[in-house]
Amino acid sequence: MRLVILEDYDQASEWAAKYICNRIIQFKPSQGKYFTLGLPTGNTPLGCYKKLIEYHKNGDLSFKYVKTFNMDEYVGLPRNHPESYHSYMWNNFFKHIDIDPNNAHILDGNAPDLQAECDAFEKKIEEAGGIDLFVGGIGPDGHIAFNEPGSSLSSRTRLKTLAMDTILANAKYFDGDLSKVPTMALTVGVGTVMDAREVMILITGAHKAFALYKAIEEGVNHMWTVSAFQQHPRTIFVCDEDATLELRVKTVKYFKG
Amino acid sequence: MPSNKSVSDAPIFQFTNCRILRNHELQREDLWVREGKILNPEKLFFDEKGSADIQLDCKDSIIAPGFIDVQINGGFGVDFSLATDDFKSGIDLVSQKILSHGVTSFCPTLVTSPPSVYHQILPQISVRNGGAHGAGILGVHLEGPFISKEKKGAHPERCLRTFEAGAFEDLLATYGSLDCVRIVTLAPEMQRSSEVIRELTQRGICVSLGHSVANLSQAEEAVRQGATFITHLFNAMLPFHHRDPGIVGLLTSDKIPAGRRVFYGMISDGIHTNPAALRIAHRAHPKGLVLVTDAIAGMGLAPGRHTLGQQVVEIDGLNTYIAGTKTLSGSVATMDTCVRHFLEATGCSVETALEAASLHPAQLLGIEHEKGTLNYDSDADFLMLSDSLYVQATYIAGECVWRRDTSGM
């Protein structure tokens, strides 16, 4: 793996955005040759999205020939609810760029047959030729997407019940009222993300430090599902200084090079 | 990028680089329009997989809902209370000219007149949508003749009437028809006014209190019967008194029925109301303030003599008086001038000033689901304004119907 350590959140966001931008430009996407991007939600990638929007508005980056696949979406939340991941993606990314709406894929948490919706999503990824770069985050409990502790490391897109840690972490977005937080979600599996040609995980903040330690300095373990990426040929972890607080000094020094 | 044709073939417009008035604040958002209505772009993106056909750069303008003037007696030489042969072309002229003041909908107002005038004029006015031809007509505002002699202002005394004879029947006979009538101003202290107010309210007509010597109890009773508006607050009514606030007391009355709001018109031209009085009213009841012009035929014309119904008025700068007297009679202020003056006099926010001329009149008339806001699915009647609230362009149903030409006219 590569571990890229930047000084603070803003620099980490910028580094990640530049990496994505360069990947897309180098790929030279065009009609019939789309760059496929896997995308996360949450607090961590907000800075990265802002930078990507900036590059787009400067005329340096177009999403015209980019296809996106989001990692997850809540089940049972109306699509236009301010906390749905559809709303998040629209407000924080899609409305500011030139992506074709037909190319922006997000799981539908209100589909009549949820498993069929998940299977169809896997099929769409396959038809798009697989994912070129999957960008993800890490939960405080070491999960990627909603692959909570105990999720199979070969899992595919499916319906998941959310762990209490996750529900507690999400409560702040629902007026602090636990009863309002969705308890289930549709999510890409660990296996789905592992299929991507390249993976970039964004981790910032001291509260994620322990999860990062478990993910890269301990063994591959289904209790810390991000650890699966130790076995992926091309993974980059992008973090800020605070996220490295639980790592060994030796590890940090090695990667700071 | 082409939009998904399965829902609608109509072109989709995206107004970018602007600040729009939404949810009571100026937000940095794009405004999307399709088929004359404000469009929800998120719904368009996810449900229809659609995108904009045409993008327009608004150069950082403010976009606000079009202004709604519920009290305007004429302008540009046209007097709505004068029955002329070419009355229709007169109303067309005014509706077209006021587009440059940011008015996208209005209520042509008739002052106290003899029944023959109402019978001749009212059938010639119809409710109609706005467009390139001019601002939309929401209905007529009949100010008088059932008003108080003591507070007639510029209205001709010989045409004043009471309800004593036949109450509502008399009103109907006086006006001839109520088909396109939207607002009636009357004095509630008159005998049998309660039954008239009830009858008008039941017919969906907004009853306004004005040109009256009513005390607060009489005014509150009128509100109980259905009155919801006050015509040009402070003018042509008893002044505020600390033991009987009169009609002005409605602003802070605790006898307003639950769920109802009393609105009040203010002519903020700097003449009809001292800025301190404007501020008192605004601070006492900010959500009820409706800016009106009360403009007369001389608005838009050079100073001098003009008619106002049965009277002759004299214009000198911004002042308009009954010829030879010091009695104010309407104004020559334009709506955008009123908005700017209101902003300056009260020190309120830009959002508040804009809402006083758009959202509040729409709420008064119960049409805020179509007009007065930039909410999704409402009519795309809006303005592009500079930071100091000068109108740069006027749009009705998504079509540009007036634009300030770059020579600064």
Side-chain angles (χ1 to χ4, degrees), chain B residues 186-206:
Chain B
L186 49 79
E189 70 274 18
M190 294 171 71
Q191 292 266 24
R192 303 186 70 181
S193 67
S194 289
E195 47 188 282
V196 174
I197 295 173
R198 260 199 317 274
E199 183 65 45
L200 287 171
T201 304
Q202 263 165 30
R203 285 163 182 249
I205 292 175
C206 166

Side-chain angles (χ1 to χ4, degrees), chain A residues 64 79-80 84-91 94-95 98-102 104 106, chain B residues 1 4 14 28-30 32 40-51 376:
Chain A
K64 191 155 180 238
R79 203 219 59 222
N80 61 0
S84 81
Y85 287 167
H86 280 78
S87 294
Y88 176 103
M89 290 307 297
W90 169 255
N91 285 309
F94 294 148
K95 81 175 175 196
D98 61 343
I99 189 165
D100 182 336
N102 287 300
I106 308 181
Chain B
M1 238 175 295
N4 182 328
Q14 180 186 4
R28 198 155 264 295
E29 293 285 348
D30 296 343
W32 293 65
N40 181 340
E42 187 180 348
K43 207 153 174 282
L44 174 73
F45 187 90
F46 289 124
D47 286 349
E48 296 180 48
K49 313 267 184 249
S51 42
Y376 301 139

